[in-house]
Amino acid sequence: MYIVNEEDKEYRFGDSGPKYLMKGPRMNFALVQFHAGQDFKAHYHNVMEENFYILEGEVDIVVDGVVNHLRPGQMINIEPGEVHYVVNNSGAPMKMISTLAPYTNPDKIDVENYTYLFRLHPWFNSNIQQSPGILRRNVGASLISSC
């Protein structure tokens, strides 16, 4: 048994990203925070399943190319092998809990040049001079083409 104080841990990217309160021996438990526009590289796990529970704000979690727009009180389960990409497309910070189990290190495989299709959210339509529809998104780059 042990107790961890959140203030004793740090976010990976200074004031954002994951803040691991526990890493192993059987699971990982982290608080994750992203400011507006921030994201986390697309990746998958061979062994671990990952769960995200949204505490504050809104976030888009893309799983195998499908965008899941999540709000506080919602949880998403991501199975081993499912490619996932997290992006805060909102105009406000967000915070969520992440759990990964069973603990395996290393078990994060980055996906280069990840692209996915998504329907525009209403807020997005007002910020882009393009008709509503489906766009192809190249992670790490701007919108690349209308479908």
Side-chain angles (χ1 to χ4, degrees), residues 15-45:
D15 66 349
S16 66
K19 178 194 284 192
Y20 286 96
L21 303 183
M22 180 174 67
K23 269 196 125 167
R26 288 176 288 287
M27 70 173 288
N28 291 350
F29 184 96
L31 291 175
V32 181
Q33 177 171 285
F34 288 113
H35 300 290
Q38 289 184 321
D39 66 352
F40 196 78
K41 188 175 180 115
H43 64 280
Y44 64 94
H45 308 277

mmCIF file of all heavy atoms in Angstrom, residues 15-45:
data_model
loop_
_atom_site.group_PDB
_atom_site.id
_atom_site.type_symbol
_atom_site.label_atom_id
_atom_site.label_comp_id
_atom_site.label_asym_id
_atom_site.label_seq_id
_atom_site.Cartn_x
_atom_site.Cartn_y
_atom_site.Cartn_z
ATOM 1 N N ASP A 15 3.379 21.817 -18.278
ATOM 2 C CA ASP A 15 2.045 22.046 -17.716
ATOM 3 C C ASP A 15 0.962 21.274 -18.468
ATOM 4 O O ASP A 15 -0.218 21.570 -18.362
ATOM 5 C CB ASP A 15 1.709 23.538 -17.694
ATOM 6 C CG ASP A 15 1.583 24.144 -19.079
ATOM 7 O OD1 ASP A 15 1.958 23.480 -20.078
ATOM 8 O OD2 ASP A 15 1.105 25.289 -19.188
ATOM 9 N N SER A 16 1.386 20.265 -19.241
ATOM 10 C CA SER A 16 0.405 19.464 -19.980
ATOM 11 C C SER A 16 0.956 18.066 -20.258
ATOM 12 O O SER A 16 2.106 17.766 -19.963
ATOM 13 C CB SER A 16 0.039 20.158 -21.299
ATOM 14 O OG SER A 16 1.171 20.199 -22.153
ATOM 15 N N GLY A 17 0.081 17.236 -20.844
ATOM 16 C CA GLY A 17 0.433 15.847 -21.111
ATOM 17 C C GLY A 17 0.076 14.976 -19.927
ATOM 18 O O GLY A 17 -0.664 15.378 -19.040
ATOM 19 N N PRO A 18 0.619 13.753 -19.897
ATOM 20 C CA PRO A 18 0.321 12.864 -18.773
ATOM 21 C C PRO A 18 1.154 13.195 -17.542
ATOM 22 O O PRO A 18 2.300 13.626 -17.644
ATOM 23 C CB PRO A 18 0.678 11.478 -19.319
ATOM 24 C CG PRO A 18 1.677 11.729 -20.394
ATOM 25 C CD PRO A 18 1.373 13.084 -20.961
ATOM 26 N N LYS A 19 0.546 13.008 -16.388
ATOM 27 C CA LYS A 19 1.222 13.115 -15.082
ATOM 28 C C LYS A 19 0.971 11.775 -14.391
ATOM 29 O O LYS A 19 -0.129 11.507 -13.899
ATOM 30 C CB LYS A 19 0.627 14.248 -14.254
ATOM 31 C CG LYS A 19 1.245 14.384 -12.863
ATOM 32 C CD LYS A 19 0.437 15.267 -11.931
ATOM 33 C CE LYS A 19 0.615 16.717 -12.247
ATOM 34 N NZ LYS A 19 0.057 17.592 -11.176
ATOM 35 N N TYR A 20 1.977 10.902 -14.408
ATOM 36 C CA TYR A 20 1.802 9.558 -13.861
ATOM 37 C C TYR A 20 1.857 9.577 -12.341
ATOM 38 O O TYR A 20 2.860 9.971 -11.757
ATOM 39 C CB TYR A 20 2.853 8.604 -14.425
ATOM 40 C CG TYR A 20 2.557 8.229 -15.854
ATOM 41 C CD1 TYR A 20 3.152 8.907 -16.902
ATOM 42 C CD2 TYR A 20 1.643 7.218 -16.133
ATOM 43 C CE1 TYR A 20 2.851 8.581 -18.214
ATOM 44 C CE2 TYR A 20 1.336 6.886 -17.442
ATOM 45 C CZ TYR A 20 1.946 7.570 -18.480
ATOM 46 O OH TYR A 20 1.639 7.250 -19.770
ATOM 47 N N LEU A 21 0.764 9.146 -11.727
ATOM 48 C CA LEU A 21 0.727 8.983 -10.278
ATOM 49 C C LEU A 21 1.185 7.581 -9.897
ATOM 50 O O LEU A 21 1.618 7.349 -8.776
ATOM 51 C CB LEU A 21 -0.675 9.260 -9.740
ATOM 52 C CG LEU A 21 -1.260 10.636 -10.080
ATOM 53 C CD1 LEU A 21 -2.620 10.801 -9.419
ATOM 54 C CD2 LEU A 21 -0.325 11.759 -9.692
ATOM 55 N N MET A 22 1.080 6.661 -10.872
ATOM 56 C CA MET A 22 1.530 5.281 -10.649
ATOM 57 C C MET A 22 1.945 4.698 -11.990
ATOM 58 O O MET A 22 1.227 4.818 -12.973
ATOM 59 C CB MET A 22 0.394 4.446 -10.040
ATOM 60 C CG MET A 22 0.775 3.001 -9.787
ATOM 61 S SD MET A 22 -0.499 2.068 -8.908
ATOM 62 C CE MET A 22 -1.807 2.018 -10.110
ATOM 63 N N LYS A 23 3.122 4.066 -12.028
ATOM 64 C CA LYS A 23 3.600 3.344 -13.210
ATOM 65 C C LYS A 23 4.013 1.954 -12.758
ATOM 66 O O LYS A 23 5.063 1.782 -12.158
ATOM 67 C CB LYS A 23 4.783 4.064 -13.849
ATOM 68 C CG LYS A 23 4.373 5.041 -14.913
ATOM 69 C CD LYS A 23 5.545 5.442 -15.771
ATOM 70 C CE LYS A 23 5.160 5.161 -17.200
ATOM 71 N NZ LYS A 23 6.040 5.756 -18.163
ATOM 72 N N GLY A 24 3.138 0.973 -13.043
ATOM 73 C CA GLY A 24 3.411 -0.394 -12.643
ATOM 74 C C GLY A 24 3.243 -0.597 -11.144
ATOM 75 O O GLY A 24 2.942 0.352 -10.429
ATOM 76 N N PRO A 25 3.365 -1.800 -10.626
ATOM 77 C CA PRO A 25 3.804 -2.977 -11.362
ATOM 78 C C PRO A 25 2.702 -3.685 -12.150
ATOM 79 O O PRO A 25 2.988 -4.515 -12.993
ATOM 80 C CB PRO A 25 4.334 -3.892 -10.265
ATOM 81 C CG PRO A 25 3.494 -3.551 -9.076
ATOM 82 C CD PRO A 25 3.227 -2.063 -9.196
ATOM 83 N N ARG A 26 1.429 -3.348 -11.890
ATOM 84 C CA ARG A 26 0.350 -4.023 -12.621
ATOM 85 C C ARG A 26 -0.428 -3.108 -13.544
ATOM 86 O O ARG A 26 -1.113 -3.575 -14.443
ATOM 87 C CB ARG A 26 -0.592 -4.720 -11.632
ATOM 88 C CG ARG A 26 0.045 -5.958 -11.003
ATOM 89 C CD ARG A 26 -0.825 -6.606 -9.948
ATOM 90 N NE ARG A 26 -0.920 -5.840 -8.709
ATOM 91 C CZ ARG A 26 0.056 -5.735 -7.816
ATOM 92 N NH1 ARG A 26 1.209 -6.324 -8.012
ATOM 93 N NH2 ARG A 26 -0.105 -5.019 -6.723
ATOM 94 N N MET A 27 -0.362 -1.790 -13.322
ATOM 95 C CA MET A 27 -1.090 -0.839 -14.171
ATOM 96 C C MET A 27 -0.466 0.537 -14.050
ATOM 97 O O MET A 27 0.324 0.789 -13.142
ATOM 98 C CB MET A 27 -2.574 -0.774 -13.799
ATOM 99 C CG MET A 27 -2.856 -0.114 -12.459
ATOM 100 S SD MET A 27 -4.601 0.139 -12.103
ATOM 101 C CE MET A 27 -5.002 1.458 -13.218
ATOM 102 N N ASN A 28 -0.818 1.419 -14.977
ATOM 103 C CA ASN A 28 -0.452 2.835 -14.923
ATOM 104 C C ASN A 28 -1.704 3.637 -14.605
ATOM 105 O O ASN A 28 -2.800 3.312 -15.080
ATOM 106 C CB ASN A 28 0.089 3.331 -16.265
ATOM 107 C CG ASN A 28 1.432 2.753 -16.615
ATOM 108 O OD1 ASN A 28 2.084 2.119 -15.793
ATOM 109 N ND2 ASN A 28 1.850 2.964 -17.847
ATOM 110 N N PHE A 29 -1.521 4.711 -13.849
ATOM 111 C CA PHE A 29 -2.617 5.635 -13.543
ATOM 112 C C PHE A 29 -2.058 7.036 -13.704
ATOM 113 O O PHE A 29 -1.044 7.385 -13.101
ATOM 114 C CB PHE A 29 -3.113 5.439 -12.107
ATOM 115 C CG PHE A 29 -4.303 6.287 -11.759
ATOM 116 C CD1 PHE A 29 -5.581 5.773 -11.840
ATOM 117 C CD2 PHE A 29 -4.145 7.610 -11.364
ATOM 118 C CE1 PHE A 29 -6.688 6.557 -11.523
ATOM 119 C CE2 PHE A 29 -5.245 8.400 -11.047
ATOM 120 C CZ PHE A 29 -6.513 7.876 -11.126
ATOM 121 N N ALA A 30 -2.723 7.850 -14.554
ATOM 122 C CA ALA A 30 -2.219 9.196 -14.818
ATOM 123 C C ALA A 30 -3.351 10.200 -14.924
ATOM 124 O O ALA A 30 -4.455 9.864 -15.350
ATOM 125 C CB ALA A 30 -1.417 9.214 -16.116
ATOM 126 N N LEU A 31 -3.044 11.437 -14.547
ATOM 127 C CA LEU A 31 -3.876 12.581 -14.895
ATOM 128 C C LEU A 31 -3.294 13.118 -16.197
ATOM 129 O O LEU A 31 -2.072 13.156 -16.362
ATOM 130 C CB LEU A 31 -3.802 13.662 -13.825
ATOM 131 C CG LEU A 31 -4.457 13.323 -12.501
ATOM 132 C CD1 LEU A 31 -4.191 14.442 -11.496
ATOM 133 C CD2 LEU A 31 -5.949 13.133 -12.680
ATOM 134 N N VAL A 32 -4.163 13.499 -17.113
ATOM 135 C CA VAL A 32 -3.715 14.029 -18.405
ATOM 136 C C VAL A 32 -4.393 15.370 -18.604
ATOM 137 O O VAL A 32 -5.604 15.494 -18.428
ATOM 138 C CB VAL A 32 -4.075 13.075 -19.570
ATOM 139 C CG1 VAL A 32 -3.575 13.624 -20.884
ATOM 140 C CG2 VAL A 32 -3.523 11.679 -19.314
ATOM 141 N N GLN A 33 -3.603 16.362 -18.976
ATOM 142 C CA GLN A 33 -4.139 17.704 -19.206
ATOM 143 C C GLN A 33 -3.619 18.228 -20.536
ATOM 144 O O GLN A 33 -2.431 18.096 -20.832
ATOM 145 C CB GLN A 33 -3.677 18.623 -18.068
ATOM 146 C CG GLN A 33 -4.119 20.065 -18.232
ATOM 147 C CD GLN A 33 -3.824 20.854 -16.985
ATOM 148 O OE1 GLN A 33 -4.514 20.712 -15.989
ATOM 149 N NE2 GLN A 33 -2.783 21.679 -17.022
ATOM 150 N N PHE A 34 -4.523 18.786 -21.343
ATOM 151 C CA PHE A 34 -4.149 19.427 -22.601
ATOM 152 C C PHE A 34 -4.813 20.791 -22.684
ATOM 153 O O PHE A 34 -5.994 20.933 -22.378
ATOM 154 C CB PHE A 34 -4.579 18.591 -23.808
ATOM 155 C CG PHE A 34 -3.775 17.339 -24.000
ATOM 156 C CD1 PHE A 34 -4.363 16.101 -23.835
ATOM 157 C CD2 PHE A 34 -2.436 17.400 -24.337
ATOM 158 C CE1 PHE A 34 -3.632 14.939 -24.007
ATOM 159 C CE2 PHE A 34 -1.695 16.243 -24.506
ATOM 160 C CZ PHE A 34 -2.292 15.007 -24.350
ATOM 161 N N HIS A 35 -4.049 21.769 -23.116
ATOM 162 C CA HIS A 35 -4.594 23.092 -23.382
ATOM 163 C C HIS A 35 -5.212 23.086 -24.783
ATOM 164 O O HIS A 35 -4.992 22.160 -25.569
ATOM 165 C CB HIS A 35 -3.492 24.151 -23.266
ATOM 166 C CG HIS A 35 -2.871 24.169 -21.906
ATOM 167 N ND1 HIS A 35 -3.534 24.624 -20.786
ATOM 168 C CD2 HIS A 35 -1.661 23.754 -21.474
ATOM 169 C CE1 HIS A 35 -2.754 24.499 -19.739
ATOM 170 N NE2 HIS A 35 -1.606 23.971 -20.124
ATOM 171 N N ALA A 36 -5.963 24.110 -25.091
ATOM 172 C CA ALA A 36 -6.610 24.217 -26.404
ATOM 173 C C ALA A 36 -5.580 24.013 -27.508
ATOM 174 O O ALA A 36 -4.504 24.598 -27.481
ATOM 175 C CB ALA A 36 -7.284 25.577 -26.547
ATOM 176 N N GLY A 37 -5.915 23.133 -28.452
ATOM 177 C CA GLY A 37 -5.064 22.890 -29.609
ATOM 178 C C GLY A 37 -3.959 21.867 -29.407
ATOM 179 O O GLY A 37 -3.333 21.444 -30.374
ATOM 180 N N GLN A 38 -3.712 21.431 -28.185
ATOM 181 C CA GLN A 38 -2.644 20.459 -27.951
ATOM 182 C C GLN A 38 -3.103 19.044 -28.278
ATOM 183 O O GLN A 38 -4.291 18.726 -28.205
ATOM 184 C CB GLN A 38 -2.162 20.517 -26.505
ATOM 185 C CG GLN A 38 -1.370 21.764 -26.195
ATOM 186 C CD GLN A 38 -0.814 21.755 -24.788
ATOM 187 O OE1 GLN A 38 -1.475 21.319 -23.837
ATOM 188 N NE2 GLN A 38 0.410 22.240 -24.633
ATOM 189 N N ASP A 39 -2.133 18.190 -28.613
ATOM 190 C CA ASP A 39 -2.447 16.804 -28.940
ATOM 191 C C ASP A 39 -1.355 15.883 -28.422
ATOM 192 O O ASP A 39 -0.352 16.328 -27.873
ATOM 193 C CB ASP A 39 -2.654 16.626 -30.444
ATOM 194 C CG ASP A 39 -1.385 16.872 -31.264
ATOM 195 O OD1 ASP A 39 -0.368 17.327 -30.706
ATOM 196 O OD2 ASP A 39 -1.413 16.617 -32.474
ATOM 197 N N PHE A 40 -1.588 14.580 -28.602
ATOM 198 C CA PHE A 40 -0.642 13.548 -28.209
ATOM 199 C C PHE A 40 -0.503 12.609 -29.393
ATOM 200 O O PHE A 40 -1.502 12.146 -29.949
ATOM 201 C CB PHE A 40 -1.145 12.797 -26.973
ATOM 202 C CG PHE A 40 -0.087 11.986 -26.287
ATOM 203 C CD1 PHE A 40 0.844 12.598 -25.461
ATOM 204 C CD2 PHE A 40 -0.014 10.621 -26.458
ATOM 205 C CE1 PHE A 40 1.824 11.861 -24.820
ATOM 206 C CE2 PHE A 40 0.955 9.874 -25.831
ATOM 207 C CZ PHE A 40 1.882 10.495 -25.007
ATOM 208 N N LYS A 41 0.697 12.339 -29.803
ATOM 209 C CA LYS A 41 0.997 11.551 -31.002
ATOM 210 C C LYS A 41 0.193 10.242 -31.081
ATOM 211 O O LYS A 41 0.015 9.543 -30.085
ATOM 212 C CB LYS A 41 2.489 11.245 -31.018
ATOM 213 C CG LYS A 41 2.958 10.597 -32.283
ATOM 214 C CD LYS A 41 4.457 10.448 -32.275
ATOM 215 C CE LYS A 41 4.878 9.795 -33.558
ATOM 216 N NZ LYS A 41 5.673 10.622 -34.389
ATOM 217 N N ALA A 42 -0.255 9.922 -32.294
ATOM 218 C CA ALA A 42 -0.982 8.675 -32.521
ATOM 219 C C ALA A 42 -0.077 7.487 -32.184
ATOM 220 O O ALA A 42 1.112 7.482 -32.515
ATOM 221 C CB ALA A 42 -1.452 8.593 -33.975
ATOM 222 N N HIS A 43 -0.668 6.493 -31.527
ATOM 223 C CA HIS A 43 0.092 5.310 -31.132
ATOM 224 C C HIS A 43 -0.874 4.169 -30.816
ATOM 225 O O HIS A 43 -2.087 4.338 -30.836
ATOM 226 C CB HIS A 43 0.981 5.614 -29.914
ATOM 227 C CG HIS A 43 0.207 5.954 -28.681
ATOM 228 N ND1 HIS A 43 -0.331 7.195 -28.449
ATOM 229 C CD2 HIS A 43 -0.129 5.193 -27.602
ATOM 230 C CE1 HIS A 43 -0.962 7.200 -27.289
ATOM 231 N NE2 HIS A 43 -0.853 5.988 -26.755
ATOM 232 N N TYR A 44 -0.301 3.016 -30.524
ATOM 233 C CA TYR A 44 -1.089 1.877 -30.058
ATOM 234 C C TYR A 44 -0.246 1.081 -29.071
ATOM 235 O O TYR A 44 0.957 1.329 -28.908
ATOM 236 C CB TYR A 44 -1.579 1.000 -31.219
ATOM 237 C CG TYR A 44 -0.485 0.320 -32.006
ATOM 238 C CD1 TYR A 44 -0.071 -0.968 -31.696
ATOM 239 C CD2 TYR A 44 0.129 0.968 -33.072
ATOM 240 C CE1 TYR A 44 0.936 -1.592 -32.415
ATOM 241 C CE2 TYR A 44 1.124 0.357 -33.802
ATOM 242 C CZ TYR A 44 1.532 -0.926 -33.472
ATOM 243 O OH TYR A 44 2.527 -1.534 -34.188
ATOM 244 N N HIS A 45 -0.894 0.151 -28.402
ATOM 245 C CA HIS A 45 -0.224 -0.724 -27.440
ATOM 246 C C HIS A 45 -0.479 -2.167 -27.868
ATOM 247 O O HIS A 45 -1.584 -2.505 -28.291
ATOM 248 C CB HIS A 45 -0.780 -0.506 -26.032
ATOM 249 C CG HIS A 45 -0.769 0.932 -25.611
ATOM 250 N ND1 HIS A 45 0.343 1.544 -25.099
ATOM 251 C CD2 HIS A 45 -1.732 1.883 -25.653
ATOM 252 C CE1 HIS A 45 0.069 2.812 -24.836
ATOM 253 N NE2 HIS A 45 -1.193 3.046 -25.161
#
